[in-house]
Amino acid sequence: MLMKRLFTSTLVICSVIGSWQRTVAQTPALNLNLPRSKNPFGPYIPSLVPAASLANSPRIDQLIRDGKLYLSLDDAIRLALENNLDIAISRYNLPIAEADIERTRAGGAFRGVNAGIVQNTPGGGVGGLGSGAPGAGAGGTTGGAGGAGSGASGIVQSTLGAGTAVSSYDPTITGTASIEHYTQPLSNLQIYGVPSLQLNTTGANLTYSQAFPTGTAFSFNFEDTRQTGNSIYNYLNPALNVYYRITFQQQLLAGFGLGPNLRYLRIAKNNRKISDIAFKDQVIATVTQIANMYWDLADAYQDVQVKERSFQFAKETLDRDQRQLELRAIPAMDVTKAGAEMENREQDLTSAKTTLVLQESLIKNALTKNLDDLTLEEIPVVPTERMNLDTDAAAGSTLESLTNEALRDRPELQESTIDLESRNISRSAARNALLPTVSLQGYYGGSGLAGVDNPASGYDSSVPTENSAAIRRAFNNSSPDYLVGLSVRIPLRNRVLKSDQYRSELEYRQSELLIQQQKKQIRIEVRNALYALQQSQARVASARRGCDLAQKTFDISKQEQQLGAGSNAQTLLAQRDLAVAESSLAEAETLYEKSRIELERAVGSTLENHGIAIDDAKQGAVAKTR
């Protein structure tokens, strides 16, 4: 009957567990916090993470009209926040950091959080096509706790988390039950009165143990045994023995207090802050990349339009020259030159279209989770954003104010500052670990006895026969067992811990220098970005004047040709100069936009200037646009 009930209960528990697991597996959203459950079996059931959704967000379908994807810079950024896989990969670091906190709350060592930037999306100077992206860092698979991975930027972090051993703060219950039959042949009858000793022992043991962040350890042990034997000299058969002990231990030097015992938790919380900042840095880097890709696309799109106009004009000129050649109004050499010019411009147009197709493919790859839809893969992209030359962009803020803003808002500097706090925690714990281990120990217990008198012994023990009486006797202080002691452990020379402590001091000072180096680097980046923006403004102004002059020259040449005072060759040359000037203007405008984007990144204002809420990026869903 007992086995049947146990089997039925097991089936019910398995059914509940299976149902709960299926429910978790069907959850679509990424939970940024460790799952909680009121299920009493929750601590023993794996928390499943649902597979990532690989469907593109509906926003991309809303932007398709007449078989084309019309894309503004704001649309591109929102699509990247929803679909870009670099951000999606980095997003998992947030719950990973949260899981580390839960682990260290129980006394476990932190496993570390990746603070590097994922940059697997090609384009915009990333992923093998061009130079590294601004703000580029360690890849998405690079491990490392804190703001700098192991060996990153020349920084060592081998003593991060150093100190005395930390016990588990989760209470543990251990229970054992056993039945033993023991037989021993004897060489004489003097000890037990029988030629062969037989003992049957039934035992149960229960232990509760727990450690605390103060350096305190507590345990409670309870033992209950029942033994029968064939010895005629046993006064009790069966004999019932009950014993309990409450044990207490407190560290007094090394391992004493909340500092060394909560260091893992405090570092894990700092790592959680770092993961938030690192994710912000990831969003900034990706938005910077997307913006650069967008203006590369706009430049390529505008260049195709310029080349198409140039080709069409050359084609019209050739057609007109061929008609005039039929009338013998011009020499055949002019037609040959016009044909060669048209071929050159057609080649330029083909090259520009190829570049445009590449830029379209790159940005569609960056703004989607998948390109399985062949229609989406082949659909042309039309950039709708136009350059807005902000003449006050460089003059609106002083170099000093921009530098101060960057020193306040740059993510990598914030990460290093928090990482320095973690190193200081480790430094203090390493100092504590140098002390001798002094433990105050004590326990208190009691024993109880019960049983049935053995008729063969002829002795009247006058003890109770019930097991409950043995338990009462154990706890009524009639047979106490107690101890108070002091344990001291002094490692002579102590070279290992001394080396770790000194190394933690060196690593802390090393990290201080890294922060100073980062501040200097930030100042240089802001200065260079501001100067580049000012130079690009001047270049745009110069390109616009050149374009205006080329337009006037072309208009005059065209008018002269219509009046018979100019040649087709002169008009073709003037139109080519106009096309070159228009392409140069588009290139200058693109460089200006990229310079403005780089200044935003250098200052740390990318998200603010584009109206990006970091919470939207964490959820991967943008509720509204600017």
Side-chain angles (χ1 to χ4, degrees):
M1 180 63 70
L2 178 62
M3 293 300 295
K4 181 178 181 181
R5 290 180 179 177
L6 181 61
F7 181 71
T8 304
S9 300
T10 303
L11 290 179
V12 172
I13 292 173
C14 292
S15 177
V16 172
I17 293 175
S19 176
W20 185 85
Q21 287 180 328
R22 288 191 296 271
T23 302
V24 173
Q26 293 170 0
T27 304
L30 174 63
N31 188 3
L32 299 182
N33 297 316
L34 194 68
R36 306 286 183 180
S37 174
K38 295 182 179 179
N39 187 337
F41 299 101
Y44 317 104
I45 300 174
S47 299
L48 305 182
V49 178
S53 172
L54 298 181
N56 297 322
S57 62
R59 185 186 303 272
I60 197 167
D61 294 327
Q62 300 168 2
L63 299 175
I64 298 177
R65 300 188 302 273
D66 301 326
K68 295 181 180 179
L69 176 60
Y70 290 88
L71 199 64
S72 67
L73 177 59
D74 187 74
D75 293 330
I77 291 174
R78 267 65 190 169
L79 284 172
L81 296 179
E82 294 172 345
N83 299 318
N84 185 267
L85 293 180
D86 285 351
I87 294 179
I89 293 172
S90 181
R91 192 176 290 124
Y92 277 92
N93 288 328
L94 302 175
I96 288 174
E98 195 66 34
D100 236 15
I101 291 179
E102 190 69 14
R103 173 182 172 84
T104 55
R105 279 200 179 103
F110 59 89
R111 294 190 179 277
V113 179
N114 176 25
I117 294 177
V118 186
Q119 50 176 12
N120 299 325
T121 301
V126 179
L129 296 176
S131 60
T141 57
T142 298
S150 179
S153 302
I155 298 300
V156 181
Q157 60 167 20
S158 59
T159 61
L160 192 65
T164 55
V166 177
S167 301
S168 174
Y169 302 140
D170 283 351
T172 302
I173 297 178
T174 305
T176 60
S178 62
I179 299 176
E180 178 188 12
H181 174 76
Y182 175 78
T183 302
Q184 180 183 0
L186 301 175
S187 60
N188 62 73
L189 303 177
Q190 298 300 317
I191 299 177
Y192 296 105
V194 291
S196 177
L197 177 65
Q198 296 183 2
L199 296 175
N200 294 298
T201 304
T202 301
N205 181 285
L206 180 67
T207 301
Y208 176 95
S209 60
Q210 185 176 5
F212 299 90
T214 54
T216 307
F218 167 83
S219 66
F220 171 79
N221 179 260
F222 179 81
E223 297 179 6
D224 188 353
T225 59
R226 180 183 186 274
Q227 188 176 72
T228 61
N230 64 341
S231 173
I232 61 174
Y233 299 136
N234 287 343
Y235 294 147
L236 299 177
N237 192 23
L240 307 176
N241 291 280
V242 174
Y243 177 78
Y244 83 93
R245 174 182 286 182
I246 298 174
T247 304
F248 168 88
Q249 179 174 297
Q250 174 64 55
Q251 300 297 333
L252 300 180
L253 290 179
F256 172 79
L258 300 179
N261 291 295
L262 289 182
R263 67 185 187 275
Y264 291 154
L265 176 60
R266 291 170 178 173
I267 292 175
K269 288 182 176 180
N270 282 343
N271 286 347
R272 178 64 170 89
K273 296 176 184 178
I274 288 174
S275 69
D276 284 334
I277 298 172
F279 182 74
K280 178 182 177 182
D281 198 16
Q282 175 70 59
V283 175
I284 290 174
T286 301
V287 168
T288 300
Q289 178 187 3
I290 295 301
N292 284 330
M293 293 172 66
Y294 183 87
W295 291 114
D296 285 339
L297 172 67
D299 182 31
Y301 183 80
Q302 192 168 348
D303 190 50
V304 168
Q305 293 179 318
V306 170
K307 297 297 193 298
E308 282 181 342
R309 290 195 297 268
S310 179
F311 171 72
Q312 288 299 327
F313 182 81
K315 186 174 184 300
E316 291 172 0
T317 300
L318 177 61
D319 292 341
R320 185 169 54 252
D321 287 354
Q322 288 176 339
R323 289 194 299 269
Q324 290 181 346
L325 178 62
E326 293 175 358
L327 300 175
R328 299 183 183 278
I330 60 173
M333 182 61 68
D334 288 351
V335 178
T336 302
K337 291 180 179 179
E341 188 66 25
M342 189 198 71
E343 293 295 335
N344 289 335
R345 299 190 186 190
E346 185 177 17
Q347 183 177 357
D348 292 341
L349 176 59
T350 301
S351 177
K353 286 183 177 180
T354 302
T355 301
L356 177 60
V357 171
L358 173 61
Q359 294 300 328
E360 288 176 339
S361 298
L362 290 176
I363 200 164
K364 283 187 290 187
N365 175 69
L367 303 183
T368 57
K369 292 181 180 178
N370 71 78
L371 288 173
D372 296 338
D373 187 351
L374 297 179
T375 303
L376 180 60
E377 189 173 6
E378 299 297 331
I379 195 171
V381 183
V382 179
T384 61
E385 200 86 13
R386 293 294 176 263
M387 195 207 74
N388 181 20
L389 182 59
D390 185 0
T391 55
D392 296 329
S397 301
T398 64
L399 176 61
E400 182 180 1
S401 64
L402 291 174
T403 301
N404 291 336
E405 184 179 350
L407 292 175
R408 182 193 67 209
D409 296 337
R410 282 285 289 267
E412 59 268 41
L413 190 58
Q414 296 174 0
E415 290 178 24
S416 296
T417 302
I418 297 175
D419 180 65
L420 189 65
E421 296 177 6
S422 297
R423 293 176 185 274
N424 190 40
I425 293 172
S426 298
R427 184 172 64 155
S428 300
R431 291 177 180 178
N432 175 266
L434 284 176
L435 299 174
T437 302
V438 180
S439 304
L440 176 63
Q441 300 173 342
Y443 65 77
Y444 186 89
S447 301
L449 178 64
V452 179
D453 290 336
N454 186 358
S457 68
Y459 178 77
D460 184 6
S461 63
S462 300
V463 299
T465 59
E466 302 85 3
N467 189 65
S468 59
I471 296 176
R472 286 195 302 270
R473 283 191 167 193
F475 286 94
N476 67 4
N477 202 31
S478 60
S479 302
D481 177 20
Y482 52 84
L483 173 144
V484 176
L486 196 67
S487 173
V488 179
R489 177 180 177 272
I490 303 176
L492 300 180
R493 302 182 71 181
N494 206 22
R495 287 182 292 177
V496 172
L497 295 178
K498 182 64 177 179
S499 175
D500 289 345
Q501 180 271 323
Y502 184 59
R503 181 164 178 153
S504 70
E505 297 284 342
L506 294 173
E507 293 178 8
Y508 180 81
R509 299 305 179 191
Q510 190 181 50
S511 296
E512 285 183 325
L513 293 178
L514 174 64
I515 292 179
Q516 180 62 24
Q517 185 183 55
Q518 288 177 330
K519 290 180 179 179
K520 291 175 60 179
Q521 181 66 26
I522 287 172
R523 290 180 179 275
I524 294 175
E525 288 182 10
V526 172
R527 184 185 298 271
N528 290 343
L530 181 59
Y531 290 165
L533 181 63
Q534 294 171 343
Q535 291 173 353
S536 62
Q537 282 181 326
R539 182 173 179 178
V540 170
S542 176
R544 284 181 175 175
R545 290 193 297 269
C547 192
D548 291 340
L549 290 174
Q551 182 67 54
K552 291 178 181 178
T553 301
F554 172 66
D555 292 340
I556 292 173
S557 297
K558 190 175 181 180
Q559 187 176 9
E560 288 178 349
Q561 180 185 355
Q562 292 173 350
L563 296 175
S567 65
N568 290 344
Q570 290 176 333
T571 306
L572 278 173
L573 181 60
Q575 202 283 329
R576 169 184 281 185
D577 292 341
L578 175 59
V580 171
E582 289 176 336
S583 295
S584 298
L585 176 58
E587 181 180 357
E589 290 177 342
T590 299
L591 290 177
Y592 168 79
E593 291 293 346
K594 287 187 171 184
S595 298
R596 187 165 56 84
I597 293 166
E598 172 58 18
L599 181 61
E600 292 175 348
R601 185 206 65 82
V603 173
S605 60
T606 301
L607 303 187
E608 179 183 357
N609 290 353
H610 291 279
I612 298 173
I614 196 66
D615 288 338
D616 289 344
K618 288 180 179 179
Q619 296 298 325
V622 182
K624 59 182 180 179
T625 59
R626 276 189 298 161

